């Protein structure tokens, strides 16, 4: 496929701006073509207008039609074959196996949403005939054009055709994607795949749009356009919070689903430290270093009570960290931020370096860091809870159970919390579990937070600052709820109602009829 | 019942402040006792802390326990008998029949939530065992302490034990209510009823708290307390927007459900104007004047195409407006704002006075106003779309169908839109319906927006500026979703899971098991 460097505005490929940038191979810091054209303000607003006019038609598509569209996107992505993986490897430094797996995840996400669209009950259709003079019927309907910000660390699964795109399109929204400048070619290839699927399934031009640009202005222009009705974002706290602030302070505030930063605390309970020391030392080291620590679910905080077992455990983790093979980070910026983050941590009172891996000479290749601090120091310094994106983790020794609960109570919001323990541990730490339920979106027992299954029950979200909206998830089928709102029809004739609300239930979906779940 | 004028802080009655105020009878502008003590900053924060510590216990209550609590509140409100109605009449000027009806609605709301708590499926329990290495289970859980702002215009149904209170308590949240200063005695009586129910059903002290005060600082102190996790509000645009801005700009932003202002546009289609002219003239006049126009669903904008029939219709409405009996408004402030709002409207270019009712001499008694403007003037002046709270409505003549759709496209968000027409009208105005679906929370065919049924399908909400969060409703059982977020449990032993997620489904609720709805 010949890459053009252009923006996707409805039917058009457009490049009227003068600012350009190129992809950079993080392995050797070499730029490579083509030149990408940062979208101008005018082009961005055109893209939003295309999304708006397409929305008027796209929102009328039924579940089967939208499912076929999502499946066609999946097919077209697979049809890109190795050229997608090769380009993506050059742009991200990520290994082939990982990217092939991520492509599978991306395709799987699209198919999961296709499944729930075909089934149809997700609209939460409700009909009341008893408690009113006239029929009251409601269901969820699409919000309108949505702005989506691709993430750097999942160039396929959280990018142009990632979870936000899949859930927004499933909901019936049209989209304007801001491609992540760290993988513009991958983005263009996937955009082409979506564009082919748009045509193949006769969706309106403008259902999908994509603009390029490393500058913050590109994103801000999307957020500020009054036709945009919601935002999906995965990235840094600074980036997500800036978008949130811009969106809620618009004349018309809109929902922002920003998944930002998380320390993913791990709690090692006494029984587990005794019985499964080696397993956990191995598993934790792997989880911290998976993908060079560039996962939003990387365990960055590890709590345990002081004990001889804990000391032995830490020694075992230390040995493993020393031998860790790390690799190239996604971008020079991420590499630099990681080094700065670790340096900053090491300057904080009480923080000690327990182990680091060996450095090899390649550019942007980092060292894994295992750090240590007491719970007193941790409790007195907010900075220690901040995410350091990359293969570093901070272990925090706590005096006793009471203090373990106390540090948990003082945690801010995170995506996940993991507990390692025996079943007896869990029973005697139920107060800790109760505390953590308020702090995270997902609680894991004897498992690592990295690896987020894509299914109906998954919640990838959590209280601020993990996300800007804890009421939703960015992974799993209930993510579709982020891009809809309920609309109520009172006393409407059957022929004017959407299929989901018609009397004879032609969509054959589960509905709440006078409070009872029926099909 | 002897009223004390004190604030409700957990178990305590507290009045440590020095600022006081009294209830005012709007019929004669006389103040009457007792003296109410505005809560101090310290008292407000104590109330929030009580709500926080109660939450740790209250959130563990099961559906039956919470249902019994809500039902006990309903019983205690009814047990107040006529003294509640009498006090409320003196504080609001609202007639006995209306307040008795509103009490019924308030009790009905509490019982509706009790029903869904007993049934239990509202938690949206989801279990996945197939698409993951370990079991993934999720359900909705309470957010934490919630701040609730009582409204002036529904002193029972949208106040201390109103919809927000019922849905937040049902969700498992504890609450701090800011009593509306226009009905402090009514608020205290209802607070006493809730307090009795707390004790009767052994709920933790601090589950319910209430603070008084006319000053904006009282509300701001609630919103800014970091322990508060969501806000429910019904009132003016200025009030709601100020609370929204404060809440989203906190260090930890929180959801704000503010129901603020709505013009509730009515569209009179040609067939209806021909066939049902008299009915609609009568019904519309009644709907505008119901409760002296002090409903958030009052139809404030009436659109129709120019025609002889339309002229005849307007004449009929005019005759009815002239003969309208209006009454006392809720407060002097609301009376003054109404007069100012109508005066401002009349000063706008193109706005004509069509009819007004006769004034009687009592204080705070207003005149109903029927106004008229062309669609060109309407489209060029945003101020004409703003809500005037009270018995005024603006009719807008539009040249033709095309222009009717155009004015609809230019509308901002409203709670409702009503269409009057024959079935043939609806068929030929489907483009208008499509436009209105994006503008409102509820679309009504041949009915008036006033009168909001409380059931499972009702949506009382809509796009900004009608509310600050169009994804929810403030009336109906799905309002419970506003005060929860999903929490996911991965690989947890059955005995550590909430009943709703246990393998054998002891709560006997509908769940989504590997994507299938099952009981």
């Amino acid at each position: 496929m010949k890459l053009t460097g252009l923006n996707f505005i409805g039917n058009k490929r457009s490049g009227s701006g003068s600012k350009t940038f190129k992809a950079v191979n993080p392995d050797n810091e070499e730029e490579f073509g083509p030149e990408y054209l940062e979208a101008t303000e005018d082009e961005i607003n055109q893209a939003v207008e295309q999304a708006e006019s397409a929305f008027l038609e796209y929102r009328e598509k039924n579940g089967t039609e939208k499912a076929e569209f999502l499946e066609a996107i999946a097919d077209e992505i697979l049809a890109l074959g190795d050229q997608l993986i090769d380009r993506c490897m050059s742009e991200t430094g990520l290994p082939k196996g990982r990217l092939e797996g991520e492509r599978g995840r991306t395709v799987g996400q699209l198919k999961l949403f296709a499944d729930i669209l075909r089934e149809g009950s997700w609209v939460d259709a409700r009909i009341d005939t008893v408690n009113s003079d006239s029929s009251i019927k409601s269901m969820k309907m699409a919000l309108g054009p949505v702005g989506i910000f691709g993430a750097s660390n999942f160039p396929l699964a959280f990018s142009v055709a990632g979870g936000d795109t899949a859930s927004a399109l499933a909901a019936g929204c049209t989209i304007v994607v801001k491609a992540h400048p760290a993988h513009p070619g991958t983005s263009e290839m996937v955009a082409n795949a979506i564009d082919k699927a748009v045509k193949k399934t006769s969706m309106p031009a403008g259902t999908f749009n994509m603009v390029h640009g490393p500058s913050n202005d590109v994103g801000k222009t999307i957020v500020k356009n009054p036709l945009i009705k919601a935002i999906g974002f995965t990235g840094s706290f600074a980036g997500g919070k800036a978008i949130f602030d811009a969106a809620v302070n618009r004349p018309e505030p809109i929902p922002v689903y920003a998944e930002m930063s998380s320390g993913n605390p791990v709690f090692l309970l006494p029984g587990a430290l005794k019985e499964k020391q080696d397993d956990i030392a191995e598993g934790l080291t792997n989880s911290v270093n998976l993908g060079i620590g560039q996962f939003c679910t990387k365990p960055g905080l590890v709590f345990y009570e002081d004990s001889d077992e804990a000391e032995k455990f830490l020694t075992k983790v230390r040995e493993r960290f020393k031998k860790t093979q790390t690799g190239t980070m996604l971008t020079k910026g991420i590499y630099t931020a990681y080094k700065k983050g670790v340096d900053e941590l090491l300057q904080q009172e009480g923080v000690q370096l327990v182990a680091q891996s060996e450095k090899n000479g390649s550019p942007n290749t980092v060292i894994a860091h295992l750090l240590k601090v007491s719970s007193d120091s941790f409790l007195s310094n907010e900075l220690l809870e901040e995410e350091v994106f990359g293969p570093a983790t901070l272990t925090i020794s706590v005096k006793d159970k009471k203090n373990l609960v106390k540090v948990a109570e003082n945690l801010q919001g995170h995506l996940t919390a993991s507990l390692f323990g025996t079943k007896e541990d869990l029973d005697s730490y139920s107060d800790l579990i109760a505390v953590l339920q308020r702090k995270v979106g997902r609680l894991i027992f004897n498992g690592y937070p990295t690896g987020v299954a894509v299914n109906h029950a998954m919640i990838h979200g959590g209280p601020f600052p993990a996300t800007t909206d804890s009421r939703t998830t960015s992974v799993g089928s209930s993510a579709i709820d982020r891009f809809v709102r309920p609309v109520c029809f009172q006393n409407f004739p059957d022929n004017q109602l959407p299929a989901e609300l018609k009397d004879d239930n032609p969509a054959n979906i589960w509905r709440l009829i006078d409070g009872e779940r029926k099909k």
Side-chain angles (χ1 to χ4, degrees), chain A:
Chain A
M1 177 187 298
K2 186 159 162 33
L3 297 177
T4 66
L6 298 172
N7 300 286
F8 285 64
I9 302 177
N11 268 333
K12 265 192 334 185
R13 296 294 172 274
S14 178
S16 58
S18 54
K19 288 190 199 166
T20 61
F21 67 103
K22 282 185 176 175
V24 179
N25 186 330
D27 281 322
N28 56 23
E29 299 197 332
E30 279 174 19
E31 286 195 338
F32 58 107
E35 282 212 319
Y36 277 84
L37 284 122
E38 177 162 310
T40 63
E41 194 175 335
D42 195 42
E43 284 176 313
I44 298 162
N45 289 328
Q46 279 175 38
V48 176
E49 280 152 31
Q50 286 289 319
E52 166 69 14
S53 65
F55 177 69
L56 303 180
E57 192 181 330
Y58 183 65
R59 65 175 173 157
E60 305 288 344
K61 300 292 177 187
N62 65 34
T64 308
E65 290 166 323
K66 286 187 288 182
E68 284 167 0
F69 174 39
L70 295 185
E71 287 159 349
I73 296 174
D75 292 344
E76 293 296 335
I77 289 171
L78 291 175
L80 289 166
D82 276 350
Q83 62 174 335
L84 174 65
I85 302 297
D86 292 344
R87 174 84 197 188
C88 196
M89 286 171 68
S90 317
E91 291 186 329
T92 64
L94 293 171
K96 185 165 188 172
R98 147 74 195 271
L99 289 176
E100 285 172 344
E102 194 180 324
R103 179 177 58 189
R105 180 190 185 87
T106 307
V107 165
Q109 285 177 164
L110 289 159
K111 291 189 172 168
L112 180 72
F113 285 105
D115 287 348
I116 67 164
L117 290 174
R118 287 186 195 281
E119 196 280 327
S121 304
W122 72 272
V123 299
D124 192 22
R126 292 164 172 246
I127 296 180
D128 268 276
T129 55
V130 178
N131 302 313
S132 170
D133 300 337
S134 49
S135 69
I136 308 282
K137 307 182 177 190
S138 62
M139 64 178 278
K140 292 176 180 170
M141 301 182 97
L143 284 179
V146 171
I148 290 171
F149 290 72
S152 64
N153 62 336
F154 280 87
L156 300 171
F158 283 85
S159 192
V160 179
D164 287 344
T165 291
S167 56
L169 291 176
C173 294
T174 54
I175 62 176
V176 178
V177 172
K178 156 93 170 56
H180 199 287
H183 51 267
T186 305
S187 297
E188 185 177 349
M189 283 183 180
V190 174
N192 260 316
I194 300 178
D195 191 54
K196 277 191 182 175
V198 165
K199 286 169 183 142
K200 199 161 92 178
T201 57
S202 305
M203 294 297 154
T207 301
F208 168 80
N209 307 273
M210 185 178 82
V211 294
H212 287 288
S215 138
N216 287 340
D217 291 344
V218 175
K220 272 196 193 144
T221 303
I222 296 174
V223 173
K224 289 191 173 168
N225 190 305
L227 297 171
I228 290 288
K229 297 303 178 192
I231 297 290
F233 171 94
T234 305
S236 68
F237 178 78
K241 186 60 166 47
I243 285 172
F244 176 80
D245 289 342
V248 296
N249 291 299
R250 290 176 14 149
E252 178 198 354
I254 51 172
V256 174
Y257 305 104
E259 192 247 276
M260 300 184 299
S261 82
S262 177
N264 304 299
V266 173
F267 293 82
L268 304 175
L269 306 183
L273 268 185
K274 209 165 179 174
E275 291 180 16
K276 291 182 281 186
Q277 212 169 84
D278 290 278
D279 281 0
I280 301 174
E282 182 75 17
L284 181 67
T285 305
N286 290 341
S287 184
V288 170
N289 287 287
L290 195 68
I292 328 294
Q294 298 170 116
F295 286 149
C296 40
T297 50
K298 179 209 72 182
L301 302 166
V302 182
F303 298 94
Y304 53 84
E305 295 168 37
D306 291 334
S307 70
D308 292 346
E309 296 295 340
E311 283 307 311
K312 276 194 251 171
F313 167 76
L314 200 59
T315 308
K316 287 174 180 169
V317 183
R318 188 178 65 202
E319 294 315 309
R320 281 167 177 82
F321 259 75
K322 280 185 185 169
K323 288 182 223 149
T324 296
Q325 298 291 325
T326 60
T328 313
M329 293 197 93
L330 290 156
T331 67
K332 188 172 190 68
I334 289 174
Y335 167 79
T336 311
Y338 172 69
K339 281 190 49 169
K340 194 176 151 221
V342 171
D343 285 350
E344 239 173 44
L345 268 184
L346 282 168
Q347 283 161 26
Q348 304 305 308
E349 200 180 313
V351 175
Q352 298 168 48
L353 180 65
V354 180
Q356 55 186 11
S357 61
E358 277 175 38
K359 169 129 180 93
N360 79 34
S362 315
N364 301 320
T365 299
V366 289
I367 300 171
H369 290 89
L370 178 66
L371 308 167
K372 183 183 168 178
V373 78
S374 73
S375 64
D376 286 347
S377 299
F378 182 80
L379 283 171
S380 63
N381 186 348
E382 284 181 10
L383 194 138
L384 299 184
E385 197 177 341
E386 281 180 21
E387 181 185 33
V388 174
F389 194 73
T393 198
L394 178 63
T395 62
I396 301 109
S397 59
V398 176
K399 206 169 62 190
D400 52 21
K401 185 184 160 188
K402 199 180 131 198
N403 279 281
L404 197 67
V405 175
K406 190 177 157 198
V407 292
E409 279 170 349
N410 279 281
L411 287 175
Q412 55 183 25
H414 294 272
L415 293 169
T416 70
S418 305
L419 294 136
F420 285 85
T422 57
K423 291 205 175 184
E424 294 70 38
D425 279 336
L426 266 201
D427 292 340
S428 55
Y429 283 80
S430 57
D431 45 351
L432 176 64
I433 299 173
V435 169
L436 292 176
Q437 275 177 21
R438 295 184 72 186
K439 301 292 184 180
V440 304
R442 179 166 56 113
L443 275 158
I444 304 151
F445 181 57
N446 285 344
Y448 302 93
T450 42
V452 184
V454 180
N455 56 33
H456 302 283
M458 176 52 67
I459 299 302
H460 188 61
F464 188 89
T467 78
T468 51
D469 194 332
S470 73
R471 295 164 292 174
T472 67
T473 176
S474 65
V475 176
S477 64
S478 51
I480 196 170
D481 287 339
R482 309 198 295 170
F483 301 113
V484 291
R485 67 178 180 89
V487 178
C488 183
F489 298 84
Q490 181 168 336
N491 198 33
F492 259 58
D494 210 50
N495 73 328
Q496 286 292 339
L497 288 167
E500 289 88 342
L501 297 177
K502 286 187 196 296
D503 282 336
D504 61 353
N505 193 14
N508 190 33
I509 57 173
W510 287 98
R511 309 194 289 188
L512 200 68
I513 312 281
D514 293 319
E516 275 183 54
R517 186 70 54 191
K518 282 181 187 166
K519 201 163 185 172

